[in-house]
Structure formats: structure tokens, C-alpha cells
């Protein structure tokens, strides 16, 4: 029991450090130090308030605790022996260790899409997902703003990964950091993707900050976390997303979009 408590405290500390460091590094320049510098990149014209930021942080505390409990149960309890989590990198090789992180992101996107869409159902929305959608104009602090029930759902991905594919401890840790960085970008409230990104093939299947921001402002559609493919396949992508994205990019360029972008 003592080992479990120590692991839980350690995992909760790590989750807190990750949250305040990554979300804080995004919040400080865009919302405090250089707010006027990024007016053209802002997705919604209105601004969130200090009250919104405080609520988002307060509602994120329970998420950090839940994630800590989930991590400790998985890695520091007898359950671990039944998972595919391993400690020796040579067991599957370094190439697989790296590729497993990419595979984990694909699996997570699928898990997120379907659980996220389910939480928008009328019977469960208020109990599971309403807390997150109190942030109509989200900030980086909203990345962990979940109800207790949604926190449990969100923490479930590490269990899915641990039982479905071999994951080195460090690969699992790296996945959680990368996932949170992308999550913060999705809740940034500003579109910072480089202007050339719009002309790439990757744009057609990657979600952007604008993509997830539209989910918050429209309350439905754009359920994917990293990719657009499930929304495209299930016909749940918010209509007009690409036009909204282009409008923001147009503001960012003094002379408007490049000719090849205007015709997309």
C-alpha cells in the first residue's frame, strides 16, 4: 500500500508539473506578455476572462489526481504483470520503441473520437462533458478541464495502450507528454500553424487549433483530437472549417492569401 501511495503521489506530481509547465509556457506569451503581438492569430474575437482561467485550473486539479491514481494502479500494482508494458528497450528494439509512440497516437485518436462523441449524447453530456464545454473560448488551461467522470474516461487510454500493444515505460511517458503538447495547441485559442502548412497534404488529415476551437464554439462536430479522418469518415466535421482556417490565415498575411491558397 505504501508503494502504491508513493507511486500515486509521484504520478500526480508529474501530471501537475506537465500541466503547469506546458500549458503555462503557452499561456504566458499569448495571454500575458505578447497578447497584442498575436491579435491576427486569435481564433475568436472575444477574449476569455481571468475568471475563466481560474475555473479551468481549478477543474483541472481533479484530473491530475485521477490521472495519478490511474497511472499508479497500472504501473505500481499487481495489474502490471498482465499488461504489455516492458522495461528493457532491447526487448523490442529502439525502432519499435519510437514507432510505438506514433502508433499510440493513432490508437488514442480513435479512442478519443468515439468516447468524445459518446459524451456528447444527451443522456450523458451534463454528467460527463459539460465541465469541459464551459470553456466556449478555451485557453491552454482548459486542456485538463474535465469532470471527474470524464477524467476517468480520458485516463482510460493508457489502459487501452498497456493491454493492446507492447509499450516501453519511457514510450508510454513520452506519449503522454506529446499528447498533452498537442492538446494544449488545440486549446490555445490562437492559430499558429505556419502559413505554408495549408498547401500541404498533411493539412487534409491533421487537426489544427482552429479545428478544435470550432468544436468548442459550435458544441458539436470535430470530435477528433489529432486527425480529421474519423470526422471525415463519419461525416461529423464542422462545415466551413477550411474557410474559417483560411480567414484566420488571411488576417496573418498583410496582402491576403497567396493565389494558390485562394483557389483551394
Amino acid at each position: 500500500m505504501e508503494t502504491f501511495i508513493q507511486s500515486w503521489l509521484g504520478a500526480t506530481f508529474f501530471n501537475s508539473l506537465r500541466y503547469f509547465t506546458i500549458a503555462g509556457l503557452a499561456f504566458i506569451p499569448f495571454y500575458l506578455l505578447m497578447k497584442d503581438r498575436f491579435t491576427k492569430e486569435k481564433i475568436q474575437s472575444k477574449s476569455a476572462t481571468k475568471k475563466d482561467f481560474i475555473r479551468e485550473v481549478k477543474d483541472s486539479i481533479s484530473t491530475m489526481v485521477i490521472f495519478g491514481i490511474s497511472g499508479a494502479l497500472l504501473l505500481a500494482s499487481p495489474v502490471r504483470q498482465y499488461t504489455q508494458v516492458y522495461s528493457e528497450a532491447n526487448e523490442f528494439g529502439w525502432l519499435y520503441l519510437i514507432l510505438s509512440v506514433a502508433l499510440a497516437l493513432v490508437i488514442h485518436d480513435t479512442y478519443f473520437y468515439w468516447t468524445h462523441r459518446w459524451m456528447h449524447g444527451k443522456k450523458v453530456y451534463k454528467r460527463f462533458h459539460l465541465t469541459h464545454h464551459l470553456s466556449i473560448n478555451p485557453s491552454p488551461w482548459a486542456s485538463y478541464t474535465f469532470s471527474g467522470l470524464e477524467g476517468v474516461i480520458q485516463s482510460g487510454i493508457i489502459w487501452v495502450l498497456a493491454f493492446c500493444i507492447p509499450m516501453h515505460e519511457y514510450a508510454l511517458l513520452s506519449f503522454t507528454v506529446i499528447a498533452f503538447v498537442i492538446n494544449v495547441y488545440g486549446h490555445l485559442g490562437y492559430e499558429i500553424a505556419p502559413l505554408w502548412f495549408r498547401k500541404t497534404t498533411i493539412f487534409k488529415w491533421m487537426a489544427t487549433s482552429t479545428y478544435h476551437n470550432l468544436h468548442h464554439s459550435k458544441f458539436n462536430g470535430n470530435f477528433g483530437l489529432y486527425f480529421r479522418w474519423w470526422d471525415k469518415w463519419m461525416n461529423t466535421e464542422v462545415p466551413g472549417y477550411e474557410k474559417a482556417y483560411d480567414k484566420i490565415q488571411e488576417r496573418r498575411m498583410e496582402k491576403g492569401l497567396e493565389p494558390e491558397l485562394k483557389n483551394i
Side-chain angles (χ1 to χ4, degrees):
M1 186 66 179
E2 183 178 349
T3 301
F4 171 78
I5 293 176
Q6 290 176 346
S7 297
W8 166 59
L9 291 175
T12 301
F13 173 77
F14 172 76
N15 288 325
S16 302
L17 182 64
R18 179 178 57 198
Y19 173 77
F20 286 108
T21 300
I22 298 174
L25 287 174
F27 180 83
I28 290 172
F30 286 95
Y31 290 83
L32 297 179
L33 297 182
M34 296 183 285
K35 185 177 179 180
D36 295 335
R37 160 67 178 81
F38 294 108
T39 54
K40 292 181 180 180
E41 285 78 8
K42 199 168 190 311
I43 298 171
Q44 296 186 38
S45 58
K46 61 182 178 180
S47 299
T49 66
K50 182 179 180 181
K51 184 178 180 181
D52 293 319
F53 304 146
I54 293 173
R55 171 184 52 77
E56 288 172 346
V57 173
K58 286 176 62 178
D59 287 339
S60 296
I61 293 174
S62 62
T63 299
M64 291 178 247
V65 174
I66 291 170
F67 280 17
I69 293 173
S70 185
L73 282 172
L74 181 66
L75 300 176
S77 76
V79 174
R80 175 168 176 162
Q81 63 184 310
Y82 301 107
T83 71
Q84 297 196 63
V85 178
Y86 62 98
S87 302
E88 297 296 329
N90 293 332
E91 187 172 347
F92 290 91
W94 284 98
L95 178 60
Y96 174 78
L97 190 151
I98 295 171
L99 291 176
S100 68
V101 177
L103 179 58
L105 292 172
V106 174
I107 295 173
H108 187 201
D109 189 72
T110 299
Y111 176 87
F112 185 88
Y113 176 87
W114 288 105
T115 56
H116 188 191
R117 186 173 174 181
W118 174 78
M119 286 188 288
H120 272 264
K122 292 182 179 180
K123 294 183 179 181
V124 299
Y125 176 78
K126 288 185 178 180
R127 285 181 293 171
F128 281 81
H129 201 45
L130 175 62
T131 298
H132 188 66
H133 271 285
L134 292 176
S135 297
I136 299 174
N137 189 15
S139 81
W141 301 122
S143 303
Y144 262 3
T145 302
F146 308 131
S147 67
L149 290 173
E150 181 171 5
V152 172
I153 296 292
Q154 298 289 359
S155 71
I157 183 57
I158 64 168
W159 291 83
V160 172
L161 294 174
F163 281 96
C164 287
I165 62 173
M167 288 287 291
H168 188 275
E169 294 171 339
Y170 290 157
L172 197 58
L173 184 67
S174 298
F175 158 74
T176 64
V177 174
I178 294 170
F180 189 66
V181 169
I182 298 173
N183 194 11
V184 167
Y185 165 60
H187 292 90
L188 185 60
Y190 293 80
E191 187 51 75
I192 59 173
L195 298 173
W196 53 260
F197 179 67
R198 178 64 172 88
K199 295 181 287 184
T200 66
T201 302
I202 299 176
F203 175 82
K204 293 295 183 180
W205 53 273
M206 288 291 292
T208 63
S209 188
T210 303
Y211 195 81
H212 192 69
N213 194 281
L214 280 173
H215 174 77
H216 276 263
S217 62
K218 301 297 183 182
F219 292 98
N220 221 331
N222 290 8
F223 295 110
L225 180 59
Y226 311 123
F227 310 111
R228 297 171 59 183
W229 50 46
W230 279 111
D231 282 302
K232 285 180 174 294
W233 293 337
M234 297 295 109
N235 198 32
T236 55
E237 188 167 274
V238 172
Y241 155 63
E242 293 189 1
K243 289 184 179 179
Y245 181 90
D246 288 344
K247 186 176 181 180
I248 296 169
Q249 298 297 58
E250 195 170 28
R251 290 203 310 263
R252 297 175 66 187
M253 300 178 68
E254 294 181 359
K255 296 182 180 180
L257 292 173
E258 298 174 13
E260 57 265 41
L261 289 185
K262 290 182 178 180
N263 296 322
I264 292 179

